[in-house]
Amino acid sequence: MFIDSFTGNKNTKLSLGELIKSSRLSHAVLIFAKEGCGANCFARLLAADIIGTDTDGLKLIEQQAHPQVQIIKGSGASGQIKVDSVREINSNVNFSSIGGEKRVVIIQNCENFNTNSANALLKNLEEPKDDITYILTTTDVSKILSTIRSRCQMYSLSQPSLQETKEYFAKVDSAEKDELIKIYSGNIGMVKDALENPKRFEILQKALSAQKLISRGESYELAKLLFGFNKKKEDFVLFLKDLEFICDQNLSQANVNIMNAVIDCRSALARNANLGLIMENFIIAVKK
């Protein structure tokens, strides 16, 4: 099965594999994992196993081009899943498949539902069609409506060990991989993103520089670095994430202060506060 290729999580893979083989898998599955631990990747592998496709079919799923698998995800810096996306699901599933083929709807990061989109999905989960399986992924179960959770079989994916992560990247020829594995504590998704995406790697380097500037009390240089993210909200969100990972490696009082400032920044971003003002407040907070 394709899910067997996923790193770690042996018991979860065994359980789901048996349910698929015996046709006892629920019409709705909720996959929970910390960010970067592969919930969305696992969902695509699971979808391939459910519809019984081959390697070429999996490639089509990953390209969002397989006729039996529909993938829904949020948009923008907030990643919010809008009700129109769920209505698109409804229009596509409210008919029986030709030949009775199994179909899968993957909804990525469903903690980003708003009230309207969550309620629209709930209607489908309450009256499921026999040939459709919903796979929902999330990094925060607490943000999902209890009425949705109660209609899903829930599975948790654990982060692989450092050794498993090193084995995963064993054939990767990169001088940076060991340092990235250390920074991201073995989080395969984030290591992979930094290795493959030059822009993502650049953001990490800025986070490393920011931590050093803060430790040296160089507020002016920090301000210059931060305001490079002006009008780049999505990049700034990634920068904050990286800064938190870096500080989490050494929980000194200074790094704890930085992490608290990061939390305040995230709260302000969620309120759509002015990005420039958020940066100014961050600089003030880390000087304390």
Side-chain angles (χ1 to χ4, degrees), residues 94-145:
N94 284 333
F95 58 87
S96 297
S97 60
I98 299 173
E101 299 98 340
K102 292 181 179 179
R103 293 177 290 167
V104 174
V105 175
I106 298 174
I107 305 178
Q108 298 183 174
N109 301 101
C110 59
E111 70 274 7
N112 293 327
F113 275 133
N114 59 36
T115 302
N116 290 334
S117 55
N119 286 332
L121 175 68
L122 187 58
K123 293 179 181 178
N124 280 8
L125 298 184
E126 288 173 339
E127 300 177 1
K129 290 187 175 295
D130 292 340
D131 61 341
I132 295 177
T133 301
Y134 291 88
I135 304 175
L136 284 62
T137 71
T138 185
T139 58
D140 191 345
V141 174
S142 67
K143 291 183 178 180
I144 300 171
L145 289 177

Side-chain angles (χ1 to χ4, degrees), residues 18-244:
E18 288 300 318
L19 289 172
I20 292 171
K21 290 174 184 176
S22 61
S23 300
R24 292 185 292 113
L25 186 68
S26 171
H27 70 280
V29 176
L30 176 59
I31 305 295
F32 162 70
K34 290 182 179 180
E35 188 169 358
C37 287
N40 294 329
C41 174
F42 189 83
R44 294 191 290 272
L45 295 172
L46 182 59
D49 286 331
I50 291 171
I51 66 172
T53 191
D54 55 15
T55 303
D56 289 337
L58 176 60
K59 290 179 181 177
L60 289 175
I61 292 172
E62 292 171 342
Q63 296 165 5
Q64 299 187 46
H66 199 290
Q68 292 171 248
V69 179
Q70 183 177 1
I71 299 177
I72 301 296
K73 53 188 175 182
S75 58
S78 67
Q80 187 177 90
I81 300 172
K82 298 180 180 179
V83 68
D84 287 345
S85 297
V86 181
R87 286 172 179 160
E88 181 183 348
I89 297 173
N90 296 346
S91 65
N92 289 338
V93 303
N94 284 333
F95 58 87
S96 297
S97 60
I98 299 173
E101 299 98 340
K102 292 181 179 179
R103 293 177 290 167
V104 174
V105 175
I106 298 174
I107 305 178
Q108 298 183 174
N109 301 101
C110 59
E111 70 274 7
N112 293 327
F113 275 133
N114 59 36
T115 302
N116 290 334
S117 55
N119 286 332
L121 175 68
L122 187 58
K123 293 179 181 178
N124 280 8
L125 298 184
E126 288 173 339
E127 300 177 1
K129 290 187 175 295
D130 292 340
D131 61 341
I132 295 177
T133 301
Y134 291 88
I135 304 175
L136 284 62
T137 71
T138 185
T139 58
D140 191 345
V141 174
S142 67
K143 291 183 178 180
I144 300 171
L145 289 177
S146 59
T147 46
I148 289 179
R149 294 200 307 267
S150 66
R151 287 167 173 77
C152 299
Q153 283 182 335
M154 289 183 57
Y155 294 90
S156 176
L157 299 178
S158 59
Q159 182 167 303
S161 65
L162 285 175
Q163 184 58 38
E164 287 175 325
T165 304
K166 288 178 180 178
E167 290 172 359
Y168 181 91
F169 290 104
K171 296 181 180 180
V172 174
D173 184 16
S174 170
E176 294 86 11
K177 69 177 181 181
D178 289 339
E179 182 63 20
L180 291 172
I181 289 171
K182 180 181 177 182
I183 289 172
Y184 291 124
S185 303
N187 189 308
I188 287 177
M190 291 187 173
V191 174
K192 189 174 182 181
D193 201 12
L195 285 172
E196 297 177 354
N197 186 340
K199 179 181 177 181
R200 189 70 189 85
F201 185 78
E202 181 184 351
I203 291 173
L204 172 61
Q205 298 311 302
K206 289 182 178 180
L208 287 165
S209 297
Q211 195 270 341
K212 292 176 182 177
L213 292 171
I214 293 168
S215 68
R216 296 197 295 259
E218 298 182 27
S219 298
Y220 177 71
E221 292 299 321
L222 176 64
K224 286 172 58 179
L225 185 153
L226 289 181
F227 284 103
F229 291 107
N230 193 30
K231 297 182 180 180
K232 297 178 181 178
K233 186 175 180 180
E234 293 183 27
D235 290 352
F236 186 61
V237 170
L238 294 174
F239 165 82
L240 292 175
K241 187 185 303 179
D242 284 345
L243 190 56
E244 187 172 27

